[in-house]
Amino acid sequence: MKDEVNDRTDQYGGSLENRCRFPLEVVEAVAAEIGPERVGVRLSPFGSHSDSSDSNPEALGVYMANALNKYNILYAHYIEPRVKTNTTTSETNESLASARNAFKGTFLVAGAHTRQSGIQVIESGGADLVVYGRLFLANPDLPKRFRLNAPLNKYVRETFYTQDPVKGYTDYPFLDEGKDDGAGEKGGKHVRCPFLEEDEQA
């Protein structure tokens, strides 16, 4: 989809419409096969990983949001503009607001969010859900830790892509079950967390 890597000259290259044609054809085919309620799309219009950047990422993000509305898919999952590569984040004035406003379904965001920034983006209307990747990998009980505003395990990037089936994947510790479950709640804000029981808050 990015104009700095797509050098095709057929119907899948050149214009924004052409560059987005193939992924939208995939969405249409998959939605027809299994139902749009089982389909979600993850997009990173502002990303530049492996030199795959775009000259107008906001227009790309909005175009895809509008185009995806046609298929009534379950969600669109966008990566925050501050995440340009898979290892770094940067300060930016760019925003997902235009894509958020364009997409009519459930809008998810991800990209180096903390507990507090996740709360803020939901409260501001910037997304319906906030997605956590690395924090969830290192904290298998992340919903509980967020609910208690408890300390988090630090992830170890060096183990992300190892062949060891345990190291860095299933060996991060849970919270000590003997601790007071109310610790850390004082002064913390609470919002509904979709992966907790109905009577719990995060």
Side-chain angles (χ1 to χ4, degrees):
M1 290 183 280
K2 308 285 184 69
D3 59 8
E4 293 195 14
V5 291
N6 185 332
D7 57 2
R8 298 180 68 114
T9 57
D10 59 8
Q11 70 270 30
Y12 295 103
S15 68
L16 183 56
E17 179 182 7
N18 282 356
R19 286 183 279 117
C20 293
R21 187 185 307 276
F22 180 71
L24 292 172
E25 287 178 350
V26 172
V27 169
E28 182 176 17
V30 174
E33 182 68 25
I34 66 173
E37 73 279 4
R38 294 185 175 91
V39 178
V41 175
R42 175 174 161 112
L43 299 166
S44 183
F46 293 90
S48 58
H49 178 65
S50 297
D51 297 323
S52 59
S53 57
D54 192 84
S55 62
N56 192 342
E58 183 174 2
L60 173 59
V62 171
Y63 180 88
M64 283 297 294
N66 282 318
L68 289 169
N69 286 330
K70 172 184 175 181
Y71 304 104
N72 296 312
I73 61 173
L74 181 61
Y75 65 80
H77 174 182
Y78 277 66
I79 308 303
E80 296 281 8
R82 64 173 174 261
V83 181
K84 303 295 185 183
T85 71
N86 65 344
T87 59
T88 61
T89 60
S90 59
E91 294 296 324
T92 178
N93 292 323
E94 295 169 314
S95 167
L96 294 175
S98 55
R100 160 65 160 163
N101 292 334
F103 188 66
K104 304 307 180 186
T106 301
F107 194 80
L108 284 64
V109 298
H113 277 292
T114 64
R115 177 184 184 273
Q116 188 57 38
S117 70
I119 291 173
Q120 290 170 347
V121 75
I122 295 297
E123 290 183 340
S124 69
D128 297 301
L129 294 168
V130 175
V131 178
Y132 295 89
R134 290 168 290 183
L135 290 187
F136 233 134
L137 178 66
N139 298 273
D141 53 355
L142 188 65
K144 179 179 181 179
R145 290 177 188 257
F146 275 6
R147 174 166 56 89
L148 302 178
N149 199 14
L152 302 179
N153 298 323
K154 293 182 179 180
Y155 58 82
V156 181
R157 181 177 294 279
E158 291 73 18
T159 65
F160 282 1
Y161 306 105
T162 65
Q163 298 301 311
D164 191 316
V166 175
K167 187 173 178 58
Y169 291 95
T170 61
D171 55 348
Y172 286 100
F174 288 74
L175 276 175
D176 182 355
E177 294 299 332
K179 290 183 178 179
D180 179 6
D181 278 355
E185 287 187 328
K186 185 177 181 180
K189 286 188 175 182
H190 297 286
V191 295
R192 272 295 296 138
C193 183
F195 32 71
L196 295 179
E197 298 300 324
E198 284 299 318
D199 60 345
E200 291 185 308
Q201 296 285 316

